[in-house]
Structures are given as C-alpha cells and as structure tokens.
Amino acid sequence: MSKRHAIIIAVGMLASASALAQTETIGQAGPKPATAAGTVPATANPAHAAAPKTAAPAAASTAESRSAAALALTHEPTYDEGSAQRIKDAALSYSDLAVRGGWPTIPADAKFAPGAQGANDDLLRKRLIVSGDLSADKASGAFDQDLADAVKRFQARHGLAPTGTMTPRTIAAMNVPVQNRIRQLEASLQRLENMNFGFGQRYVVVNIPAAFAEAVENDVVVRRYRVIVGKTEKPSPTLTAQISSVVLNPTWTVPSSIAKTEISAHMRKDPTYLSRMHMEVLDAHDNPIDPNSVDWSGTHTPNFTVRQHNGTLNALGAVKIDMPNSYSVYMHDTNQRNLFSDDYRFDSHGCSRVDNVRDLAAWLLKDQPKWSRAAIDAEIASGQHLDVAMVKKVPVAWIYLTAWMTKDQTVQFRNDVYHQDEQLLEATAEEAAFFSNAGSHPLTAHMTR
C-alpha cells in the first residue's frame, strides 16, 4: 500500500470516528484541542497567557505599525517541519472533543454587556472553557475583564480583531461545529502531506487563507506582514519556489489576460488611458507600437505586450520579489497601500502584495551589507530600475491552511476563502472508495498492494 493510500485511509477513519457534519464552515478560526484525557494542558491553555491587546485605531495604522502588531501576536511559525504532526495531534484531540459533545451554541441574537450580568454569560463562559480560552474556575459571573480577555484570545486565533467584544462574526465563529473544524484540520493535513518543501535556516511562508506572510529564521518568525492575495475568482496558487532577486523600481509587464479584459475595456472608454498610466504597447520583439493600431475589442488574445513604466503609478509599487515558478506569480509592493488596512485582503489577480515590503526586502538582502534598508530607500528614491540578485536564494512556500497548530499548542482556523477544503476531502473520499473497491476486484487488486 502506498504512503498516499495509507494517509487517505487514516484520514477516512478519523472522519468516521468524528461523525462529521456536512454543514458549510464559515472558517473564522477555532479552539485549542483537548488532550486524549479530555483536558487542556496548563502550559498550552490560553487562559494562562496574556490576552492580545486591542488593535490600534485605523487612523494610527502604518505599514510599520501593522507589521509590528502582527509580529507581536506570536513568533511561532505557521508552517515548519513539525506542522503536519501537530495537525494530526489536533485532529485527534478534536475528535475526542466531538465524541464528548463538542461545545454549546451561542444564540445569534445573544446580547453581552461588559460589567453587567446577561442571560447568556454563563453559556459563553462554558463555550470558552471547552475551547481552553477560559480557565475552568471561572464558570459563572457577569461579563468581566477575565471573560473579555478570553474572548480576545478566541478572536486572535480565529483571525478576528481581538477587541473582546462579542460581535456577530465572533458568535458565528464560536458556533462552527467541532465536526467542521475537524474537516478543516483534515484538509490542511492532506495538503501538507503532499508538499515537498526544503526548509532552510531562513524561509518565507505566505498562508493564503490567513492573508499573512512570515519571514522565518532559525525556526522563529522574525517578520510578519499583511498581504493581499488572489480574489476568489482569481485565486493565488499553492507552490514552493526560491526567491532569486529583489527588483527595485520594477516595470510591470501586464499579463495577457488582464490586457485582453481590463486594459482593453479602459482603452475603449478612454484612448488616453495608456499614456495616463505610463504604459506602452510592445510588439513580439519588444519594439514600441502605436496604441491606435491595436484591436482593443477584447475579442482576441492580444498579439502584443503592455508594459507599465516604473514610478508612482506602477501597479507593483517600488519593490518586486522574484521567485521563478510555473504560475508566473511573485510578491510585490503596490500603489494602493490603503488596502492593507482592510480585514478582507483577497483582491489581487493571483500575486501577493506585501505590506511594509521594503522591510522584507532588507531582511532578504541582509547577507549583502551594501543593501541596508537605508540603501534600499535611497535606490528607490533615485527612480532607477535595478535587479538585485540574491547571493543565497531563500525558500518560499505559498500554502493553503485553514487550520493549523503552532508549537505552543495553539490551534488556529481561518476562512476557507476559495472553498477548497470540501473539494479536497470529497476527492480524497472518492479515491479511498476506489481503492477500497479495487482491493476486492481481481483486475485491480494489484493496485492496493
């Protein structure tokens, strides 16, 4: 039996034991798992840790403050060499929790007021105790600071702003059934089992559902950035690659699909669009051609290239991080940096826009003393296009994890923004059924050996 087949059977057994529900997960995030004995270890219980601080007002938000706040949440990597095993452990613990009934449901219209006793306060406390966010000796009482801190812990692990306030999104996340959380863990495990990533002393991870990038050094996250990844209709791919260079003041070669649809539509409405956006049209030999000679109907695949000059209008901003791969995607700056303040950051055509990207560039080039952050800023200010090759390439992985557990035993959940979890698990179930049937058929029995 192949390793792949063994994994499928193991996950299938776990799903059966968990009596998985079929309701659609909203994927906000979830609780910390219980141990096999049904209790959360004291060292892993978030109730014994400081609650996340409330996010700063949006008006004070800068690239530096956003990345600093993201890093302050935890220095534990989303993805490291022990991730798959930890997800297995979490799935088994959640299965045990499912057998014991899971957690209670909070009424969608429940009202909670800090400092006042509410009808559902004790129910909320029970919910947070089950998930390990609140210690068991705080099972009753009004909505006090302890309860607010527990809500913050829950929110932080679900990708929600840790305000301590019971918002509708927080209640919805609390009410996702444990069976659905198990399915997220199973799907994430399947993806990691099929990845072949060469972890280095330094590496970069983009977790697409979380919309964050991490720079990891010696198994510790030393930088974390908000990212904008692909729209649901133009999803970012999962991949592994090597970061090969940092491009300062890059030009942007517009993908043919965008040229055919978006650029053509702009040109039909406004023939001056290209010149206003500092773009030029090039033939197959990179020679400039007259935009008026181009068919902008959008009915044909372009036989030309549109390229945007570097500068303040450039869609890639001031920095592009090259990472050759079969999807032709990369990481880059943007001229729409205000979008990084949004909680929903799925708005690209597949590439990953990085908040505070100059800081990431300086980290990538730290082995090249010439390229300090000040030197990078100065070169960008010069306006000159420059491709800085990496002396030592840095591995990068774009992953799709809606559920994972870090080394400190914290389980995180995020939205299944591309609805890929169900698709993966359905395909896994079909493959498992095929091998199960093949084992008893004389013509295909050899495939299961």
Side-chain angles (χ1 to χ4, degrees):
M1 182 184 297
S2 68
K3 179 181 178 183
R4 165 71 173 162
H5 188 199
I7 293 170
I8 291 171
I9 291 176
V11 173
M13 293 174 63
L14 177 59
S16 299
S18 306
L20 299 181
Q22 297 300 315
T23 30
E24 182 71 21
T25 177
I26 65 165
Q28 292 292 335
K32 190 175 294 286
T35 63
T39 58
V40 178
T43 56
N45 193 332
H48 296 165
K53 294 182 179 179
T54 301
S61 179
T62 66
E64 289 74 17
S65 67
R66 288 190 296 267
S67 55
L71 183 60
L73 292 174
T74 177
H75 289 270
E76 299 288 353
T78 296
Y79 180 39
D80 59 33
E81 293 181 285
S83 291
Q85 182 59 53
R86 289 195 301 272
I87 292 175
K88 288 180 184 178
D89 295 341
L92 290 172
S93 296
Y94 269 69
S95 296
D96 179 67
L97 183 58
V99 170
R100 292 184 287 111
W103 43 71
T105 298
I106 307 297
D109 60 352
K111 305 297 181 185
F112 299 94
Q117 181 73 53
N120 293 290
D121 288 354
D122 286 355
L123 183 65
L124 175 60
R125 287 176 178 273
K126 181 178 179 181
R127 169 65 182 86
L128 292 170
I129 288 171
V130 170
S131 60
D133 295 288
L134 184 66
S135 58
D137 61 352
K138 310 232 181 244
S140 62
F143 200 112
D144 57 11
Q145 190 59 50
D146 287 335
L147 188 54
D149 287 345
V151 171
K152 288 182 183 180
R153 281 184 283 269
F154 178 89
Q155 290 169 326
R157 292 199 322 279
H158 288 71
L160 302 169
T163 62
T165 303
M166 287 295 290
T167 63
R169 290 181 64 194
T170 301
I171 293 176
M174 288 186 178
N175 288 340
V176 173
V178 65
Q179 292 87 353
N180 294 69
R181 296 307 190 192
I182 295 169
R183 292 181 72 83
Q184 288 184 265
L185 288 161
E186 290 173 351
S188 294
L189 175 60
Q190 284 286 324
R191 292 189 182 92
L192 291 193
E193 292 283 8
N194 290 308
M195 285 191 71
N196 182 23
F197 182 57
F199 294 95
Q201 180 185 1
R202 297 201 302 155
Y203 63 93
V204 174
V205 171
V206 174
N207 187 14
I208 297 165
F212 275 98
E214 296 175 349
V216 183
E217 189 166 1
N218 296 320
D219 298 322
V220 174
V221 177
V222 294
R223 303 281 195 282
R224 184 177 286 112
Y225 311 97
R226 291 180 169 221
V227 296
I228 296 169
V229 290
K231 303 175 183 179
T232 54
E233 65 272 23
K234 299 179 185 293
S236 294
T238 55
L239 57 84
T240 61
Q242 298 276 329
I243 294 174
S244 59
S245 67
V246 174
V247 185
L248 306 180
N249 296 315
T251 59
W252 178 41
T253 300
V254 181
S256 61
S257 60
I258 297 178
K260 178 180 179 180
T261 55
E262 298 179 28
I263 301 296
S264 293
H266 283 299
M267 286 298 288
R268 290 196 298 272
K269 293 179 181 178
D270 175 13
T272 69
Y273 176 78
L274 286 179
S275 60
R276 287 193 297 102
M277 299 303 294
H278 295 183
M279 292 178 171
E280 62 179 346
V281 185
L282 308 172
D283 65 16
H285 303 288
D286 269 2
N287 298 313
I289 59 177
D290 184 355
N292 295 322
S293 67
V294 171
D295 175 10
W296 297 110
S297 66
T299 57
H300 306 289
T301 300
N303 58 355
F304 56 85
T305 298
V306 176
R307 184 170 298 157
Q308 187 177 39
H309 301 299
N310 60 304
T312 56
L313 294 179
N314 190 278
L316 305 188
V319 178
K320 174 187 175 185
I321 296 173
D322 256 338
M323 38 177 281
N325 59 85
S326 59
Y327 299 96
S328 299
V329 293
Y330 41 84
M331 303 170 72
H332 64 90
D333 188 15
T334 177
N335 56 16
Q336 296 178 297
R337 297 184 182 94
N338 59 299
L339 298 179
F340 290 117
S341 297
D342 294 343
D343 289 333
Y344 187 87
R345 298 189 299 280
F346 303 91
D347 196 40
S348 82
H349 287 79
C351 287
S352 175
R353 308 174 198 167
V354 183
D355 197 13
N356 203 14
V357 70
R358 297 189 191 194
D359 184 71
L360 176 57
W363 180 79
L364 289 170
L365 298 173
K366 63 181 292 187
D367 293 337
Q368 298 168 244
K370 175 183 177 181
W371 291 110
S372 64
R373 171 60 189 271
I376 291 171
D377 289 342
E379 187 65 33
I380 290 172
S382 77
Q384 297 301 307
H385 172 92
L386 183 66
D387 193 331
V388 183
M390 301 281 294
V391 171
K392 183 177 181 181
K393 296 178 181 179
V394 172
V396 57
W398 289 15
I399 58 177
Y400 193 91
L401 297 186
T402 62
W404 70 95
M405 183 165 72
T406 50
K407 285 182 287 188
D408 62 0
Q409 305 299 297
T410 299
V411 180
Q412 301 266 353
F413 292 92
R414 295 296 185 271
N415 285 334
D416 182 13
V417 288
Y418 298 157
H419 302 291
Q420 291 184 0
D421 283 356
E422 268 326 292
Q423 296 171 23
L424 176 63
L425 292 175
E426 287 174 4
T428 297
E430 290 175 2
E431 187 173 346
F434 170 80
F435 277 106
S436 177
N437 294 332
S440 59
H441 195 285
L443 295 179
T444 55
H446 68 282
M447 299 177 66
T448 64
R449 296 181 189 136

